[in-house]
Amino acid sequence: MNKMVGDINMRIGEFAQKHNISQDTIRYYLDLGLLVTEKRGSQYRFTEADSQDIEIIMELKKLRFSLTEIQKILTFQRISGTNTESFRNLYLPILEAKKIEITNELNKYNQIIKSINNKIDEIKKTELSSNKRLGVPMSALNILSCPLCCGSLNIDAGTIEGNMIINADIKCDCGYEVNIEDGIYVDKKSVRTKLLNGKKMPTKEEYLASCSHAHVNFIYRGMVALVEFVNKYAKSPNYIMELDNCVGFFLLQYIGYLPRNSTYVLIEYDKERIAQLKKNLEMFYEHENFLFLCCDIDRLPIRKSSID
């Protein structure tokens, strides 16, 4: 493309500012031959013809042409001119090929959007359709006893749904009293907020934001090894008790292997945390045999020798 003699000359900074593009990008285009600019002394002098070229380059980039493709188009244009049959015969197939490429890419992204929408609908459907309610299994009563005197517990004023105790008052002759509230065995003398360094325990989202992927993967490998160990040495356990600082942490890795008839015992003195875990288990998992104990380890209402 020929430079007009009467064009106003611009230095690279002015040219970059005019077209809202960095000087480094302009230099890169010069190196590739996309811009063909005269150099006077140590300075490039850009003209309106260069402005036309940069506008063509920017337009073709918006059409998703690569720099190699743009170089080919500009080179042929500089030989044949724009409004010629030879240039039109070259340019039209390039545009049609790009249209096919973008159409195929669009179809691919439409398929991805469809798959994402299906995932979203699947999650929402699970949330809306879940009406399961977990409680203290009736079958688990035989392992419960008073943590103070080891005596039998008496259940009064209970609500039972599907062989699970949802609400009840529990007493022992020694004066020990607790409640089953919304399916959780609650020792009110133990209930308190779990703290870490004087602050409320972080949520999973907060925890992930503060630790590295390598750390998470290290923990996950440990969980995988533990799952393999349990599967190897405990084929069909009647009860599994999780004693962990983060209630349900191991369970959510192991639950896919949890035998249907096994009862999983979870212990946590922070009622809010164990209630949240219970809600997740109700909404997203089919297993029903859980014993949620909101209490301290030293006030554990488990009969001696009932769990290995």
Side-chain angles (χ1 to χ4, degrees):
M1 187 174 293
N2 296 324
K3 311 297 180 189
M4 301 298 295
V5 175
D7 284 347
I8 299 174
N9 294 321
M10 292 173 280
R11 293 189 176 186
I12 190 169
E14 184 183 357
F15 186 74
Q17 185 176 12
K18 176 181 177 180
H19 296 286
N20 193 26
I21 189 170
S22 72
Q23 294 186 35
D24 287 341
T25 300
I26 293 171
R27 290 189 179 93
Y28 184 56
Y29 290 168
L30 287 167
D31 291 340
L32 292 178
L34 297 178
L35 290 174
V36 182
T37 304
E38 293 182 7
K39 196 171 186 180
R40 299 178 185 176
S42 60
Q43 297 287 337
Y44 284 106
R45 296 291 181 175
F46 297 89
T47 66
E48 286 301 319
D50 295 312
S51 290
Q52 293 173 15
D53 284 348
I54 198 68
E55 288 172 3
I56 292 172
I57 293 169
M58 294 169 70
E59 180 186 8
L60 291 174
K61 284 190 68 178
K62 288 180 181 178
L63 298 179
R64 302 293 300 274
F65 282 100
S66 67
L67 294 181
T68 300
E69 291 170 325
I70 294 172
Q71 189 178 50
K72 180 178 180 181
I73 293 169
L74 287 175
T75 299
F76 203 83
Q77 182 187 49
R78 287 162 181 164
I79 293 175
S80 63
T82 303
N83 296 318
T84 61
E85 184 177 0
S86 57
F87 177 73
R88 291 155 73 97
N89 289 340
L90 171 80
Y91 194 29
L92 185 59
I94 293 176
L95 287 172
E96 290 174 341
K98 182 59 66 175
K99 179 182 177 181
I100 294 173
E101 178 186 326
I102 298 299
T103 300
N104 291 337
E105 192 172 347
L106 182 62
N107 291 336
K108 179 182 71 176
Y109 279 106
N110 284 335
Q111 192 61 42
I112 292 173
I113 290 173
K114 182 178 178 181
S115 298
I116 291 174
N117 285 334
N118 289 339
K119 289 289 184 183
I120 292 172
D121 292 340
E122 182 182 334
I123 291 173
K124 289 182 176 179
K125 182 179 178 181
T126 302
E127 291 176 347
L128 294 173
S129 65
S130 177
N131 57 6
K132 182 174 65 175
R133 198 173 186 190
L134 297 174
V136 176
M138 295 288 290
S139 59
L141 293 178
N142 64 338
I143 70 165
L144 295 180
S145 70
C146 177
L148 303 183
C149 70
C150 298
S152 299
L153 297 175
N154 302 311
I155 299 178
D156 296 320
T159 301
I160 299 176
E161 296 180 11
N163 293 320
M164 293 185 185
I165 304 172
I166 305 301
N167 295 290
D169 297 327
I170 298 178
K171 299 178 181 180
C172 177
D173 293 339
C174 73
Y176 174 76
E177 294 184 6
V178 292
N179 304 98
I180 296 177
E181 301 175 4
D182 193 26
I184 301 173
Y185 182 104
V186 181
D187 183 345
K188 292 184 178 180
K189 291 187 177 181
S190 298
V191 175
R192 60 193 184 278
T193 300
K194 180 165 282 187
L195 302 177
L196 179 66
N197 298 326
K199 297 181 180 179
K200 189 176 180 179
M201 286 284 285
T203 64
K204 285 186 174 63
E205 292 79 8
E206 291 169 339
Y207 178 74
L208 288 173
S210 65
C211 66
S212 67
H213 294 296
H215 177 69
V216 173
N217 290 341
F218 174 77
I219 295 175
Y220 177 71
R221 287 196 298 270
M223 291 293 102
V224 170
L226 188 53
V227 168
E228 292 177 354
F229 185 88
V230 173
N231 288 338
K232 181 177 179 180
Y233 294 103
K235 298 298 183 184
S236 297
N238 291 328
Y239 291 92
I240 300 176
M241 180 185 292
E242 181 175 338
L243 303 174
D244 185 65
N245 193 46
C246 297
V247 62
F249 186 69
F250 175 72
L251 169 63
L252 296 181
Q253 301 297 331
Y254 175 68
I255 194 167
Y257 305 93
L258 183 59
R260 184 177 182 83
N261 295 325
S262 295
T263 297
Y264 202 97
V265 184
L266 294 142
I267 304 163
E268 171 63 76
Y269 58 74
D270 190 323
K271 186 180 176 183
E272 182 182 344
R273 290 170 63 84
I274 201 167
Q276 182 60 52
L277 173 62
K278 177 176 175 288
K279 180 181 177 182
N280 288 336
L281 294 170
E282 288 172 335
M283 293 181 66
F284 303 116
Y285 296 96
E286 295 182 359
H287 196 87
E288 296 184 347
N289 296 325
F290 297 100
L291 182 55
F292 302 97
L293 301 178
C294 185
C295 64
D296 283 306
I297 298 297
D298 58 359
R299 290 174 65 90
L300 198 61
I302 301 295
R303 192 179 302 278
K304 290 183 178 180
S305 302
S306 60
I307 294 181
D308 185 351

